[in-house]
Amino acid sequence: MKTTLHIKGRNLWILCTLVVLGIALSCCYTIIVSVDQPATAVVGSTVNIVVNVKNSCNSSGTAHFVFGFLAPKGWKTSQNAKITWASTKGNGNMVLIPSTTLAPNSNGLSWPDYMKATFGNVGNLIDDVEWVAYQTDAPINYANGDKITGTVNITFSNIGADGNPTSVKLGYVIANDQNGFTFDGNDGDSSPTSEYYNELVTSCFQLTGGTGDLVDFCNPQLTTINPPKSLDNDLVTITYNDNVTHTTLAGSTAVYLCATATLSDGSKVNVCSQTAKTMLTQTSANSGIYQLTFWPKSFFGTTPGQTVVSMTYYITDKAGTVQVGYGNTAAAFTYKFKCS
Amino acid sequence: MKRHLYLLIALIGLSFASCKVEKITAVNEGTKDLTGTWKVVQATRNGTDLIPLYDFTQFTLKFDAKSQSYTLANPLPFIVGADGKYALDDPQYPFKLTFTASGGTPVTTAFNYPIVAGSRAIILTFSPGCTLNTYVYTFTKK
């Protein structure tokens, strides 16, 4: 039997129109409005950062707000940062989310892993940064149409705990523990990255002073070493990127490592022959990117009682006559073998 | 009637006689014998595939169950850097493998012994240098 729905009556039509309009105009957003952060700081000092946030949704519910902060691993954020929240819905501390807590809609990832998978290293060129995930220490109840404004306040003590002057892009993410980094499109004028979560990346933050070597996460370097923190019993990959600037090695099919190691007993070992052992091979034809993976203990031929403390090095051509140093100058690149 | 009774008694007797207690003996899990020479077929460092980057073909790890000893050929960054003794925490159901290099201290790692593509593999996870760096080597028999 065919049934036809006949809507009659002026009020019913008005009601339907209002429902449709209500859906269309529904608006849910989570936005990091701004971050008040100094442009520079000194290694070991205390830095205060304020993240200004606003949130609204045309529905009611309860959720913990989640906050993610990306900084160099060597800063030990989870130990050195104290984070609080203040808002029109109350205030309290931001607490670390245990690594055993799985984020919603993440296919089984912890919050830090989910942040890494979603936002990566936010443009930092060295993979030695970490996402640290926090959530409000109490759930926040919100009613339909609530406009919540608030701040996440970071007090970062002993910044740059690894002692390295650093140039880095800091990353901030705000989300909630119900939706994760999703967009369901149900809400009117929000965008995929501002409905249930929002990310903000600052320009390069400069950390000066310290006793270590400069770590520049922001600018491409002629050479990089992976893992960034390694000892002489690691397998170390050195990458030379000839695309960073025009050097006299441009167009080479292979380049060579010419290195001098300083050992724990103060002796020095120089390895500077242009052989297969020192050859950086091009990753693909004309890529201008060359790599060599080596075992420092074996490469420098240390004895059981010796360790490699640091090395200075140049990249050379096959004849060994053309040498490229730090910043395409005559100064050698330097690398310290360390783990913290 | 009497004949039927005898038949019934006989049937009951036969049914009881046919019952037999079956003793089930547990099957003994075999001991894990690592004896042999093992080579690296997969290697990662912090998740990065190292096989295209470094020559692992010369490195071998040889176990001898009789003497409970192991030997390394053409060493590279590994749990231990010299020959020595090894031990499983349980020969039948091992979860841990301990290496003790000659003159060194014991180093224990999780023991993973799956069957991959029809043959046994040993998967070992360790940090030979900086503890922030994790290496996973997968060995199969040579």
Side-chain angles (χ1 to χ4, degrees), chain A residues 128 226-227 229-231 233-237 291-295 298 338-340, chain B residues 45-46 48 50 53-54 56 75-78 127-133 135 137:
Chain A
D128 196 29
N226 191 28
K229 292 190 174 71
S230 57
L231 297 177
N233 204 30
D234 277 297
L235 284 173
V236 172
T237 302
Q291 280 188 333
L292 169 68
T293 297
F294 64 102
W295 178 21
S298 166
K338 59 181 182 180
C339 193
S340 58
Chain B
R45 176 194 60 203
N46 301 334
T48 301
L50 286 173
L53 302 177
Y54 198 76
F56 285 84
L76 42 71
F78 189 51
S127 296
C130 177
T131 50
L132 299 172
N133 303 322
Y135 296 70
Y137 290 177

Side-chain angles (χ1 to χ4, degrees), chain A residues 65-80:
Chain A
F65 273 72
V66 170
F67 175 66
F69 180 56
L70 177 129
K73 287 179 183 172
W75 291 11
K76 300 186 187 336
T77 300
S78 60
Q79 296 170 29
N80 294 321

Side-chain angles (χ1 to χ4, degrees), chain A residues 24-47:
Chain A
L25 297 178
S26 166
C27 174
C28 203
Y29 60 78
T30 303
I31 297 173
I32 297 177
V33 180
S34 61
V35 173
D36 304 328
Q37 166 197 298
T40 65
V42 176
V43 169
S45 64
T46 297
V47 170

